[in-house]
Each structure stands twice: as structure tokens, then as C-alpha cells.
């Protein structure tokens, strides 16, 4: 049997070393950067949804006009 069989040191990954500011409860700049990135992403998603809705409403309003014109012919 191996000698180090019961030695589980290092199992489960490594912990990040905290700065003094983080130890005292202040958030790191990394957290602020993630928040800014998330805000930008949400804004982009909102704009994309608005454009998609505008396109679908434009095609939906154009379709009944075509159907109405072809039904009368």
C-alpha cells in the first residue's frame, strides 16, 4: 500500500488569496468589472430584442396587406 493514501492535502482545488481590502469586506475591482460587463450584456440583449420585435411587427403589418390584396383578386 502507498504511504500517502490517507493524505488528501490539495484535494478540492485551491483557494484564492484575499487582499486586505477583500478581507475587510470591501469588494475587489474584479467584482465591479463583472457588474459592468453584465450591465453591458443586458443592454445589448435589450437592444437586440427591440430590433427583433420591430422586424416582426413590420413583417406582420406587411403580411395582412398582401393577403388582403390577393384575397380580393
Amino acid at each position: 500500500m502507498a504511504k500517502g493514501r490517507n493524505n488528501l492535502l490539495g484535494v478540492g482545488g485551491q483557494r484564492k488569496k484575499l487582499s486586505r481590502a477583500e478581507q475587510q469586506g470591501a469588494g475587489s475591482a474584479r467584482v465591479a468589472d463583472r457588474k459592468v460587463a453584465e450591465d453591458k450584456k443586458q443592454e445589448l440583449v435589450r437592444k437586440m430584442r427591440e430590433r427583433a420585435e420591430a422586424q416582426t411587427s413590420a413583417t406582420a403589418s406587411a403580411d395582412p396587406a398582401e393577403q388582403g390584396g390577393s384575397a380580393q383578386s
Side-chain angles (χ1 to χ4, degrees):
M1 291 187 137
K3 288 182 179 180
R5 182 173 178 206
N6 293 325
N7 185 6
L8 297 177
L9 182 66
V11 173
Q14 296 178 350
R15 293 187 181 184
K16 179 182 155 293
K17 300 219 178 196
L18 298 175
S19 67
R20 286 188 184 204
E22 289 172 329
Q23 289 174 0
Q24 294 173 357
S28 68
R30 196 175 328 162
V31 174
D33 290 342
R34 287 183 186 156
K35 176 91 171 106
V36 170
E38 184 65 25
D39 291 343
K40 286 182 180 179
K41 182 179 176 183
Q42 291 298 326
E43 182 68 19
L44 179 63
V45 168
R46 184 186 63 80
K47 286 180 182 179
M48 290 174 67
R49 284 186 181 148
E50 287 178 356
R51 288 179 187 158
E53 289 174 6
Q55 287 179 350
T56 55
S57 66
T59 56
S61 64
D63 289 341
E66 293 174 4
Q67 292 173 358
S70 61
Q72 293 174 355
S73 299

